[in-house]
Amino acid sequence: MRISPAIQRIGLAFLFAGVCAAAPPPPILIGPGITPPKLLHAVDPSYTDDALRAGIWGSVAFEMVVDDTGKPTDISLVSPLGYGLDEEAETAVSQWRFSPARKNGKPVSVFAIIQVNFNLRGHAVYIHLEELRTQFNMALPHLKDPDKKRQQKAIETIQKLAKEKFGPAMYLLAQLLQTGEVIPRNSGRADELMDGAAKAHYGPALFQVGSLLYELKTSTGDAENGLRMIEKAAHFGSYRAQLFMGNRFNDGRDIPRDPDRASQYFRLCASMGHTDCEVDLAKLLINTPNRRPHEYLQAIAWLQLATEQGRPEARDLLGKEMPHLTSEQISAAQRLQAKLVHKVEVRP
């Protein structure tokens, strides 16, 4: 579904530049004598139905080379959103055209980071979901309220939202019914609600149902179905599913090892600021055979971010890499950080 008015114009930031020969040289910071490319023509990406149903909006970042004719090439995803938006953004970006960068007056190829912003503000889907989210978020603090009237009102709100098939409410009500902590325990009803939340494409519910099938492994079919559900949960924003799939593709456990697929999943949760994903992605990029210079800079940027969030493993890894870094590389990685972690609006 196409909603061009709801998609904000592209944010563009050129972080690195370098003359491209037969093999691209290591990226360098833009400095005196290099004029960055200018966007001449942009194609707006389309919103996916999955993203619309979830009310997702945020930004997708790509690294690419703008060649000496102004055409984008070697496009690679740096910071994803999921829900099919990354593929739509890449399709659009491949059709953009620029005036080429120039050095000493001559066109040159340059490395660039670009950002595509999706925005649903003002759209009917967004307004409706915001109303549901607001009711849900207002009820949450009162589920364990000492005031029994406020608690009962909060429970009734969650129950009402669950009847409206609001995924987070079905998921939460299922958990409450499973534990019996706030309302009487009802395992059968809890299972029905959890299945309903999964069918509503709520990522955490998909992961929970898929994990049960995968871990039970009562049959090959159950394990395969469970893995498919976990993969679907990763698509629908479940951090735990994204980390799970990243680790499986990285380790080659139960599925063929695929570092590129592992990187894709780690990026999904790393871009949301999860430090374990940031560290795992950084290690994967550092250990990639024949890695390109800009991939190494990405790894350093992820380690810097995780270190700033207090992750000891990231601090130790960064300490090992620091002696090999130039001051320009450190600065470039720091500038890259702002493009890696984005704010994304997603269902609770």
Side-chain angles (χ1 to χ4, degrees), residues 36 40 76 115 122 127 130 197 199 234 239 266-267 279 328 337:
L40 298 177
S76 61
Q115 193 172 53
I127 293 171
E130 277 301 290
K199 289 175 182 176
Y239 144 70
F266 285 146
R267 285 186 190 281
V279 171
E328 287 186 348
Q337 289 180 32

Side-chain angles (χ1 to χ4, degrees), residues 86-103:
D86 309 322
E87 293 80 1
E88 292 293 340
E90 184 169 356
T91 297
V93 165
S94 67
Q95 301 175 66
W96 293 2
R97 292 298 178 268
F98 302 81
S99 61
R102 292 182 178 272
K103 183 175 182 181

Side-chain angles (χ1 to χ4, degrees), residues 7-19:
I7 300 175
Q8 290 183 330
R9 184 53 67 189
I10 304 93
L12 186 62
F14 295 94
L15 301 183
F16 315 115
V19 181

